[in-house]
Amino acid sequence: MAKSVLLKSSIAKKVAMALSGLFLILFLAQHFFINSTSVFSPDTFNAISHFMGYNPLVQFVIQPILIIGVIFHFIMGFVLDLKNRSARPVSYAKYNGAANASWASRNMIISGSVVLAFILVHFYDFWVPEIMYKYVEGSPLEASRYYPELVHKFESPVRTGLYCLSFILLSLHLWHGFNSSFQSVGFNNKYSKGLHKLGYAFAIVVPFGFIFIALFHHFNH
């Protein structure tokens, strides 16, 4: 009975983590779309960023949900990783994981930790100044300020390099995590194969798209 309860609890945690991960993937896609407009049309990027920055629904509903989702996803990741490690027999230390699983799947906690650190820095670097600008300092509305601020962030080669590195690790994290999420929620039908391919494509196109945007602004301004 106790084992059954523990098993159900473990499954519930995996499903909860998978759902939070899929939610964050949607946010990542939306964030990528907005940032990509900065390459083709600074005015469009300014307009969308201004709308997102001053829309009450985005600021006071979606944004808090996003922050909670990020925290929940990574806490659950650490909890499940510790649980899996404690459940492994001693003989598992001799197990050659590289022969049976990819680096991404065996090191989700490492890539996830780096991605979490990047997100926290991003919040400190962007979200906190944005809150100070709008609600503490009471600065005037400037719909054209977003593009110059974005370009300024990629002037430093060190900053740009770390940004690119974090998205390479995010790509590895998504490579395993995207398809693992659908497996955790029991999505297994005739569309699964195509969905796996979509997940792999997303894990490459979106992170490396962010890298392209960063390098574009670094070398063109």
Side-chain angles (χ1 to χ4, degrees):
M1 181 66 179
K3 288 184 178 180
S4 177
V5 173
L6 288 174
L7 178 61
K8 289 181 179 179
S9 175
S10 178
I11 293 174
K13 289 177 182 177
K14 289 181 179 179
V15 170
M17 183 179 177
L19 291 174
S20 65
L22 292 173
F23 167 73
L24 295 177
I25 284 173
L26 291 176
F27 161 76
L28 186 65
Q30 174 256 346
H31 195 56
F32 172 65
F33 169 75
I34 295 174
N35 279 20
S36 66
T37 62
S38 68
V39 173
F40 308 104
S41 174
D43 290 338
T44 301
F45 176 77
N46 281 329
I48 297 176
S49 298
H50 182 71
F51 170 79
M52 298 291 288
Y54 287 90
N55 185 287
L57 178 63
V58 173
Q59 292 297 301
F60 303 114
V61 178
I62 297 178
Q63 191 165 256
I65 292 175
L66 171 64
I67 294 173
I68 293 172
V70 169
I71 295 173
F72 177 83
H73 182 75
F74 284 99
I75 288 179
M76 289 303 297
F78 284 112
V79 169
L80 288 172
D81 184 73
L82 291 174
K83 186 177 180 64
N84 290 337
R85 290 176 186 274
S86 64
R88 290 171 185 166
V90 176
S91 59
Y92 189 81
K94 299 179 182 179
Y95 173 72
N96 183 13
N100 298 278
S102 66
W103 185 95
S105 64
R106 289 182 289 109
N107 295 278
M108 288 292 282
I109 198 68
I110 296 176
S111 60
S113 298
V114 174
V115 173
L116 176 60
F118 168 77
I119 291 175
L120 292 176
V121 171
H122 182 68
F123 271 119
Y124 173 79
D125 189 43
F126 173 77
W127 186 73
V128 173
E130 188 74 2
I131 294 299
M132 293 293 293
Y133 181 91
K134 291 186 295 188
Y135 303 117
V136 178
E137 299 171 359
S139 301
L141 300 180
E142 291 185 27
S144 61
R145 66 184 173 90
Y146 297 96
Y147 182 78
E149 289 176 359
L150 175 70
V151 171
H152 175 70
K153 292 182 186 299
F154 294 120
E155 289 179 353
S156 167
V158 174
R159 182 194 186 95
T160 303
L162 292 174
Y163 183 91
C164 293
L165 176 61
S166 69
F167 273 100
I168 290 174
L169 290 172
L170 175 62
S171 177
L172 293 173
H173 192 79
L174 290 171
W175 184 265
H176 175 73
F178 192 103
N179 293 314
S180 177
S181 296
F182 281 101
Q183 183 177 350
S184 295
V185 297
F187 190 89
N188 185 21
N189 53 40
K190 63 181 181 179
Y191 302 108
S192 297
K193 191 172 182 180
L195 194 61
H196 284 316
K197 292 180 180 179
L198 176 64
Y200 292 136
F202 186 93
I204 295 174
V205 172
V206 173
F208 282 90
F210 275 105
I211 291 173
F212 170 78
I213 293 168
L215 294 177
F216 175 86
H217 291 302
H218 177 72
F219 289 110
N220 285 278
H221 295 89

